[in-house]
Amino acid sequence: MPNIPVTTWSLEQTAPTDLLPAEPPEGDVKIRRAEVPSPEFSRYLYASVGGDIHWIDRLSWTYAQWREHLERPGVETWVAYDRGTPAGYVELAPQDDGVVEIAYFGLIPAFRGKRIGGHLLSYGAARAWDLADRWPGLTDTKRVWLHTCSKDGEHAMGNYQRRGFKLFDTKVEEEAEAPTPGPWPGAYPA
């Protein structure tokens, strides 16, 4: 397959006051932390949210790799539920010196466009800022960052900026074009 240019933007908040929360969506949307490390559930979320936007880096992870990652102190998965059904998630991953990465964030395709994403991102960013309150031994959060790319949904960058994230880096690299994996092979048209 041919190569395609992929632009990656890195964004950050450097103070809790940078966060500009979204209004909660109407209806029965709840956000809960998945407190029990579950490789099966985390892989389901990863594949279901990222299957149509080319998330492939963790598809080859073994059960043991998922478990090891999820059991790292401070790694948290916050899940949005719409009327009891998982709609999307945000994964927080602490780094050194009070830095927290929003490692993954997104919605399952059927739940996009329902104002859940802004609310989930707001909630996840707030939980990144208070991560050390739940994890004794972690340094207080000084910076929250994430990245998005040109393969992500068309509204991703705008959502991040509306929540108060500021651009700090842009990179363009060539990547091999690949078919969309879906949550299982063939789930989405190429």
Side-chain angles (χ1 to χ4, degrees):
M1 294 201 158
N3 284 345
I4 58 169
V6 176
T7 303
T8 301
W9 299 279
S10 297
L11 299 101
E12 67 183 349
Q13 294 179 354
T14 55
T17 54
D18 290 346
L19 177 59
L20 304 172
E23 290 292 321
E26 292 184 18
D28 185 21
V29 174
K30 294 180 175 43
I31 301 172
R32 298 219 26 194
R33 181 174 156 210
E35 293 188 44
V36 177
S38 171
E40 298 90 345
F41 187 51
S42 290
R43 190 180 192 289
Y44 156 77
L45 291 168
Y46 175 84
S48 297
V49 168
D52 69 329
I53 51 176
H54 298 91
W55 288 5
I56 59 172
D57 57 316
R58 290 186 180 179
L59 289 178
S60 63
W61 277 17
T62 65
Y63 184 89
Q65 286 172 302
W66 277 101
R67 178 162 289 290
E68 180 181 345
H69 171 72
L70 295 170
E71 290 178 345
R72 282 184 41 227
V75 169
E76 293 184 345
T77 303
W78 291 86
V79 184
Y81 294 89
D82 184 359
R83 293 166 285 157
T85 302
Y89 79 112
V90 59
E91 180 186 292
L92 306 178
Q95 299 174 338
D96 293 332
D97 300 323
V99 175
V100 177
E101 179 184 8
I102 295 179
Y104 287 93
F105 160 76
L107 299 174
I108 293 170
F111 296 93
R112 294 177 189 154
K114 300 176 188 259
R115 302 188 65 235
I116 297 170
H119 177 57
L120 176 59
L121 179 59
S122 297
Y123 197 89
R127 298 299 66 80
W129 282 111
D130 63 20
L131 187 67
D133 295 348
R134 292 181 301 284
W135 292 91
L138 284 187
T139 302
D140 287 344
T141 303
K142 296 177 182 83
R143 178 175 172 255
V144 177
W145 78 282
L146 55 83
H147 67 270
T148 188
C149 76
S150 53
K151 295 186 293 185
D152 286 342
E154 63 183 298
H155 303 292
M157 178 67 96
N159 188 20
Y160 296 132
Q161 291 174 323
R162 284 189 301 278
R163 302 294 73 80
F165 284 91
K166 304 286 188 240
L167 182 68
F168 73 87
D169 190 35
T170 303
K171 292 181 181 159
V172 179
E173 297 177 333
E174 293 282 322
E175 290 185 12
E177 189 172 20
T180 307
W184 57 84
Y188 300 110

